[in-house]
Amino acid sequence: MYLKNEAKVTDEQQLHTDESFLQNLTAEIEDVLDERRFRHTLSVAHTAACLAMRYEESPYRAYLAGLLHDCAKCLKSKKKLELAKEYGLGINAAEEENPDLLHAKLGSILAKEKYKIDDEEVLSAIRYHTTGKPDMTKLEKIIYIADYIEIHRKPLPLLEKARRAAFADLDEAMQVILESTLNFLGKKGAMIDPITYETYNYYNKDKS
Ligand code: DGI
Ligand code: FE
Ligand code: FE
């Protein structure tokens, strides 16, 4: 039993009190995603919670961010562009070419406005889960990494290396994933968002 007047709310307490909240949110997310994306989402949430346990971050917040990270993914491109304009997001050249990139920024807006999440770090983890950003917090890195390594991901270059690194050193995992992503985008000839470069340079700066 928890003491009623215990000053600090622990994760476990939050999980207990918010169980129906998480259940309802899961059902709402299932509604807006296709089956494959929902399966990926649950897997990211679980993987993020495991990484949080490993790195002494809150498994609850990691799960919540994982559950919401792709909530805008299944909107049509036209809708993504419309919403981005409605919310006054500047659209850069990479986003213009590939409006899917907007799902991260839009996801953080929907998490706040539609799903009523007010935890700024959770919102930021959602916002930066596709491009990353320099000097990310533990929670932001956990979501970025969980998104790449979860078990349903199609085999990607360096996936096994990223999975091993993820549970040993978050910054090393960032470096591996960014290297793989930039290689992949380079081969595809896709336009690279300046922030993806900045993130790559930041996490590769110590590499000889
Ligand atoms: O939404 P998910 O598929 O789960 O994963 P995600 O949000 O990390 O998006 C992954 C895709 O985003 C992957 O194909 C790489 C791509 N991406 C990441 N940074 C950039 C990018 N695509 C372009 N065009 N430019 C970028 O800077
Ligand atoms: Fe995504
Ligand atoms: Fe994802």
Side-chain angles (χ1 to χ4, degrees), residues 94-106:
E95 291 163 341
E96 187 92 55
E97 183 190 79
N98 179 11
D100 185 56
L101 279 173
L102 289 165
H103 82 273
K105 287 181 191 166
L106 288 175

PDB file of all heavy atoms in Angstrom, residues 94-106:
ATOM      1  N   ALA A  94      13.378  19.623 -47.263  1.00  0.00           N
ATOM      2  CA  ALA A  94      13.314  18.165 -47.083  1.00  0.00           C
ATOM      3  C   ALA A  94      11.880  17.728 -46.769  1.00  0.00           C
ATOM      4  O   ALA A  94      11.403  16.699 -47.256  1.00  0.00           O
ATOM      5  CB  ALA A  94      14.263  17.734 -45.961  1.00  0.00           C
ATOM      6  N   GLU A  95      11.193  18.539 -45.979  1.00  0.00           N
ATOM      7  CA  GLU A  95       9.798  18.211 -45.621  1.00  0.00           C
ATOM      8  C   GLU A  95       8.855  18.410 -46.809  1.00  0.00           C
ATOM      9  O   GLU A  95       7.868  17.690 -46.955  1.00  0.00           O
ATOM     10  CB  GLU A  95       9.357  19.078 -44.431  1.00  0.00           C
ATOM     11  CG  GLU A  95      10.077  18.700 -43.152  1.00  0.00           C
ATOM     12  CD  GLU A  95       9.990  19.761 -42.057  1.00  0.00           C
ATOM     13  OE1 GLU A  95       9.689  20.933 -42.369  1.00  0.00           O
ATOM     14  OE2 GLU A  95      10.253  19.415 -40.898  1.00  0.00           O
ATOM     15  N   GLU A  96       9.184  19.385 -47.627  1.00  0.00           N
ATOM     16  CA  GLU A  96       8.393  19.632 -48.838  1.00  0.00           C
ATOM     17  C   GLU A  96       8.494  18.408 -49.757  1.00  0.00           C
ATOM     18  O   GLU A  96       7.495  17.932 -50.302  1.00  0.00           O
ATOM     19  CB  GLU A  96       8.973  20.870 -49.549  1.00  0.00           C
ATOM     20  CG  GLU A  96       8.188  21.372 -50.724  1.00  0.00           C
ATOM     21  CD  GLU A  96       7.177  22.441 -50.308  1.00  0.00           C
ATOM     22  OE1 GLU A  96       7.603  23.429 -49.685  1.00  0.00           O
ATOM     23  OE2 GLU A  96       5.989  22.264 -50.646  1.00  0.00           O
ATOM     24  N   GLU A  97       9.732  17.906 -49.895  1.00  0.00           N
ATOM     25  CA  GLU A  97       9.954  16.747 -50.766  1.00  0.00           C
ATOM     26  C   GLU A  97       9.331  15.483 -50.169  1.00  0.00           C
ATOM     27  O   GLU A  97       8.796  14.635 -50.873  1.00  0.00           O
ATOM     28  CB  GLU A  97      11.469  16.523 -50.954  1.00  0.00           C
ATOM     29  CG  GLU A  97      11.779  15.375 -51.906  1.00  0.00           C
ATOM     30  CD  GLU A  97      13.254  14.987 -51.899  1.00  0.00           C
ATOM     31  OE1 GLU A  97      13.697  14.267 -50.969  1.00  0.00           O
ATOM     32  OE2 GLU A  97      13.947  15.389 -52.831  1.00  0.00           O
ATOM     33  N   ASN A  98       9.404  15.369 -48.857  1.00  0.00           N
ATOM     34  CA  ASN A  98       8.914  14.168 -48.185  1.00  0.00           C
ATOM     35  C   ASN A  98       8.080  14.566 -46.962  1.00  0.00           C
ATOM     36  O   ASN A  98       8.576  14.600 -45.837  1.00  0.00           O
ATOM     37  CB  ASN A  98      10.131  13.317 -47.770  1.00  0.00           C
ATOM     38  CG  ASN A  98       9.725  12.058 -47.032  1.00  0.00           C
ATOM     39  OD1 ASN A  98       8.539  11.699 -47.006  1.00  0.00           O
ATOM     40  ND2 ASN A  98      10.694  11.387 -46.427  1.00  0.00           N
ATOM     41  N   PRO A  99       6.774  14.881 -47.198  1.00  0.00           N
ATOM     42  CA  PRO A  99       5.930  15.379 -46.103  1.00  0.00           C
ATOM     43  C   PRO A  99       5.831  14.402 -44.925  1.00  0.00           C
ATOM     44  O   PRO A  99       5.470  14.796 -43.819  1.00  0.00           O
ATOM     45  CB  PRO A  99       4.557  15.568 -46.769  1.00  0.00           C
ATOM     46  CG  PRO A  99       4.850  15.702 -48.220  1.00  0.00           C
ATOM     47  CD  PRO A  99       6.064  14.860 -48.486  1.00  0.00           C
ATOM     48  N   ASP A 100       6.205  13.136 -45.167  1.00  0.00           N
ATOM     49  CA  ASP A 100       6.164  12.171 -44.069  1.00  0.00           C
ATOM     50  C   ASP A 100       7.066  12.603 -42.911  1.00  0.00           C
ATOM     51  O   ASP A 100       6.803  12.286 -41.753  1.00  0.00           O
ATOM     52  CB  ASP A 100       6.568  10.781 -44.557  1.00  0.00           C
ATOM     53  CG  ASP A 100       6.403   9.753 -43.455  1.00  0.00           C
ATOM     54  OD1 ASP A 100       5.274   9.652 -42.925  1.00  0.00           O
ATOM     55  OD2 ASP A 100       7.385   9.081 -43.105  1.00  0.00           O
ATOM     56  N   LEU A 101       8.125  13.348 -43.257  1.00  0.00           N
ATOM     57  CA  LEU A 101       9.018  13.837 -42.194  1.00  0.00           C
ATOM     58  C   LEU A 101       8.264  14.661 -41.147  1.00  0.00           C
ATOM     59  O   LEU A 101       8.677  14.747 -39.999  1.00  0.00           O
ATOM     60  CB  LEU A 101      10.131  14.712 -42.798  1.00  0.00           C
ATOM     61  CG  LEU A 101      11.323  13.979 -43.420  1.00  0.00           C
ATOM     62  CD1 LEU A 101      12.235  14.988 -44.103  1.00  0.00           C
ATOM     63  CD2 LEU A 101      12.080  13.218 -42.337  1.00  0.00           C
ATOM     64  N   LEU A 102       7.162  15.278 -41.584  1.00  0.00           N
ATOM     65  CA  LEU A 102       6.394  16.137 -40.673  1.00  0.00           C
ATOM     66  C   LEU A 102       5.695  15.358 -39.567  1.00  0.00           C
ATOM     67  O   LEU A 102       5.223  15.942 -38.593  1.00  0.00           O
ATOM     68  CB  LEU A 102       5.339  16.922 -41.477  1.00  0.00           C
ATOM     69  CG  LEU A 102       5.873  18.017 -42.392  1.00  0.00           C
ATOM     70  CD1 LEU A 102       4.809  18.453 -43.391  1.00  0.00           C
ATOM     71  CD2 LEU A 102       6.343  19.215 -41.559  1.00  0.00           C
ATOM     72  N   HIS A 103       5.633  14.022 -39.692  1.00  0.00           N
ATOM     73  CA  HIS A 103       4.842  13.278 -38.701  1.00  0.00           C
ATOM     74  C   HIS A 103       5.410  13.389 -37.285  1.00  0.00           C
ATOM     75  O   HIS A 103       4.682  13.226 -36.311  1.00  0.00           O
ATOM     76  CB  HIS A 103       4.664  11.805 -39.114  1.00  0.00           C
ATOM     77  CG  HIS A 103       5.828  10.925 -38.788  1.00  0.00           C
ATOM     78  ND1 HIS A 103       6.910  10.754 -39.616  1.00  0.00           N
ATOM     79  CD2 HIS A 103       6.086  10.142 -37.715  1.00  0.00           C
ATOM     80  CE1 HIS A 103       7.770   9.918 -39.074  1.00  0.00           C
ATOM     81  NE2 HIS A 103       7.303   9.532 -37.913  1.00  0.00           N
ATOM     82  N   ALA A 104       6.694  13.690 -37.178  1.00  0.00           N
ATOM     83  CA  ALA A 104       7.292  13.807 -35.845  1.00  0.00           C
ATOM     84  C   ALA A 104       6.835  15.108 -35.165  1.00  0.00           C
ATOM     85  O   ALA A 104       6.320  15.082 -34.038  1.00  0.00           O
ATOM     86  CB  ALA A 104       8.809  13.731 -35.954  1.00  0.00           C
ATOM     87  N   LYS A 105       6.975  16.232 -35.886  1.00  0.00           N
ATOM     88  CA  LYS A 105       6.523  17.524 -35.332  1.00  0.00           C
ATOM     89  C   LYS A 105       5.009  17.517 -35.096  1.00  0.00           C
ATOM     90  O   LYS A 105       4.523  17.968 -34.063  1.00  0.00           O
ATOM     91  CB  LYS A 105       6.855  18.669 -36.293  1.00  0.00           C
ATOM     92  CG  LYS A 105       8.334  19.022 -36.332  1.00  0.00           C
ATOM     93  CD  LYS A 105       8.566  20.192 -37.297  1.00  0.00           C
ATOM     94  CE  LYS A 105      10.046  20.369 -37.550  1.00  0.00           C
ATOM     95  NZ  LYS A 105      10.302  21.239 -38.707  1.00  0.00           N
ATOM     96  N   LEU A 106       4.276  17.003 -36.095  1.00  0.00           N
ATOM     97  CA  LEU A 106       2.817  16.957 -35.932  1.00  0.00           C
ATOM     98  C   LEU A 106       2.421  16.033 -34.792  1.00  0.00           C
ATOM     99  O   LEU A 106       1.480  16.298 -34.051  1.00  0.00           O
ATOM    100  CB  LEU A 106       2.155  16.474 -37.228  1.00  0.00           C
ATOM    101  CG  LEU A 106       2.160  17.454 -38.385  1.00  0.00           C
ATOM    102  CD1 LEU A 106       1.580  16.803 -39.641  1.00  0.00           C
ATOM    103  CD2 LEU A 106       1.354  18.709 -38.034  1.00  0.00           C
TER     104      LEU A 106
END
